[in-house]
Amino acid sequence: MRVYIAGSGAMGSCFGYKLMKTGDPVVFLDHWAEQIDSLNNGGLRFGREDSADVHHVHANRPEEARGEVDLIILFCKSMQLEETLAGITGILGARTQVLCLLNGLGHVDTLKKYVAERNIFIGVTTLSASLPEAGRVCCHSLGKTEIQSISGDMIRCGNIVAELNYAGIPTHASDDVFKAIWKKACINGTTNAFCTLFDCNIHGLSKVPGIEALVEAVVREFAALAQAQGTKLWPKKISNEILDLYQKSSAVGEHYPSMHQDLRQKRRPTEIDFLNGYVARKSAELGLEAPHCQMITEAIHGLEALYL
Ligand code: NAD
């Protein structure tokens, strides 16, 4: 399968590396000049600096990409999705499958503007990766990936699932992937947002007075919108699972979530507009109340204004 990865950061490089290792021709697309140069000149390095496995790879700017491709895997950030799709229209053929595994909500509406429904595959992944420097990627956990064809094309979905599993990325086809997408959004819309606002790791949240009520209030707002859009969630159960994470003082508890890393450590914009911001915006359109999501979105944007 000829695969293009649009967005060659942490996740794109990790998925691309694993697919390449099992023989798929992979091309990386990015508009980050330093990354393209590193990949083309020094190869993609996988793992620790002193013992990285190096692979010769091809990387291009999106507008330089040519030809029809079997599969494009999108791995930009949520707020870059529209621009990324607009930049790859030249390689979107009639049969080009597009897989979107970004965190966040509302991506199907954006995908439909550029990609025929029969070619859209949406999913969620708990694989975890980082990019310590241009051209070098680390995979911290293979996690689980689940995907679904939004047009119900089980055969092509099964082919992508098989390809990812063969590459060593544990993946399954789902018939209810939106439940998993919403559940992950609930985790990110509470844990990631609160760690960023309170400037602490996950275990640190267990010391925040009233955190239980805050988490439940936010999850209830996510669940009300999910239900209005056709996905039933159990907010009390999800809140309890989230709060359980905060009690752990081991590896999970020590972790600073990606939003904290993006904003407080790397001074980069967050995906808040596609988490709590999406819930606040869409709830308002439907006449639903989401005051906690609205306030969290504004508070994160306030921090962005101070930090960026
Ligand atoms: P990243 O910032 O490391 O990578 C994003 C890449 O997209 C960058 O290299 C950037 O230059 C590129 N990009 C931006 N605009 C582009 C455009 N218009 N065209 C082409 N490339 C463009 O981000 P990441 O950590 O790889 O995360 C990607 C997505 O996966 C996010 O939605 C994130 O929330 C999600 N996710 C990340 C992890 C993780 O462990 N890193 C785990 C699960 C899900």
Side-chain angles (χ1 to χ4, degrees):
M1 208 181 250
R2 191 167 146 80
V3 183
Y4 275 47
I5 308 269
S8 68
M11 294 297 280
S13 290
C14 188
F15 270 65
Y17 170 85
K18 294 207 164 280
L19 286 162
M20 259 172 3
K21 282 286 276 185
T22 46
D24 284 307
V26 173
V27 175
F28 295 93
L29 301 177
D30 210 299
H31 60 186
W32 176 22
E34 190 187 351
Q35 174 75 341
I36 295 177
D37 287 349
S38 299
L39 291 175
N40 284 331
N41 299 325
L44 174 60
R45 288 166 290 140
F46 182 89
R48 286 170 39 160
E49 195 174 6
D50 52 359
S51 57
D53 184 34
V54 186
H55 248 265
H56 177 65
V57 298
H58 297 290
N60 279 322
R61 294 184 64 84
E63 61 274 17
E64 292 165 350
R66 295 279 176 278
E68 196 162 321
V69 190
D70 301 312
L71 173 66
I72 299 174
I73 307 182
L74 298 163
F75 265 132
C76 54
K77 293 279 196 179
S78 301
M79 58 285 192
Q80 299 155 342
L81 179 59
E82 179 109 37
E83 188 196 337
T84 301
L85 286 164
I88 57 168
T89 49
I91 51 165
L92 288 173
R95 290 193 50 78
T96 307
Q97 305 160 102
V98 177
L99 172 62
C100 176
L101 294 171
L102 311 189
N103 280 338
L105 300 165
H107 300 327
V108 171
D109 289 341
T110 310
L111 286 159
K112 281 182 184 171
K113 290 195 220 167
Y114 297 87
V115 185
E117 275 191 39
R118 64 178 183 284
N119 288 330
I120 300 178
F121 299 83
I122 185 91
V124 65
T125 181
T126 56
L127 185 145
S128 162
S130 64
L131 197 81
E133 59 190 310
R136 183 164 70 87
V137 65
C138 297
C139 180
H140 307 294
S141 137
L142 289 170
K144 281 190 207 142
T145 298
E146 61 184 278
I147 67 175
Q148 187 172 345
S149 150
I150 70 155
S151 66
D153 187 336
M154 300 299 287
I155 293 176
R156 285 160 87 220
C157 189
N159 290 343
I160 300 173
V161 166
E163 204 73 27
L164 292 173
N165 277 313
Y166 187 61
I169 299 169
T171 306
H172 66 272
S174 168
D175 57 5
D176 194 10
V177 84
F178 290 100
K179 187 163 274 188
I181 290 173
W182 274 100
K183 195 171 166 194
K184 190 166 189 208
C186 286
I187 297 170
N188 291 341
T190 52
T191 309
N192 289 28
F194 290 140
C195 284
T196 308
L197 290 170
F198 296 123
D199 194 11
C200 64
N201 61 17
I202 292 176
H203 184 52
L205 291 177
S206 65
K207 302 179 190 119
V208 173
I211 194 69
E212 294 83 359
L214 267 177
V215 166
E216 194 172 332
V218 173
V219 173
R220 285 196 182 282
E221 293 176 3
F222 273 70
L225 180 64
Q227 178 141 4
Q229 293 188 351
T231 298
K232 171 89 184 136
L233 300 178
W234 304 100
K236 187 73 190 165
K237 183 167 180 282
I238 293 176
S239 303
N240 286 342
E241 285 172 16
I242 292 171
L243 289 164
D244 276 351
L245 296 175
Y246 303 172
Q247 300 309 320
K248 300 196 166 102
S249 54
S250 56
V252 173
E254 295 295 315
H255 182 66
Y256 285 85
S258 58
M259 192 183 292
H260 184 285
Q261 293 177 32
D262 279 338
L263 183 54
R264 294 224 180 234
Q265 300 171 32
K266 299 178 194 154
R267 313 269 154 151
R268 304 198 311 182
T270 70
E271 296 182 299
I272 197 73
D273 283 339
F274 297 87
L275 296 163
N276 311 64
Y278 176 86
V279 174
R281 215 163 51 242
K282 289 289 170 188
S283 297
E285 284 173 23
L286 295 174
L288 297 168
E289 301 275 311
H292 295 82
C293 283
Q294 179 65 34
M295 185 178 285
I296 288 167
T297 305
E298 286 169 13
I300 294 286
H301 282 317
L303 273 183
E304 286 172 342
L306 292 171
Y307 273 64
L308 305 181

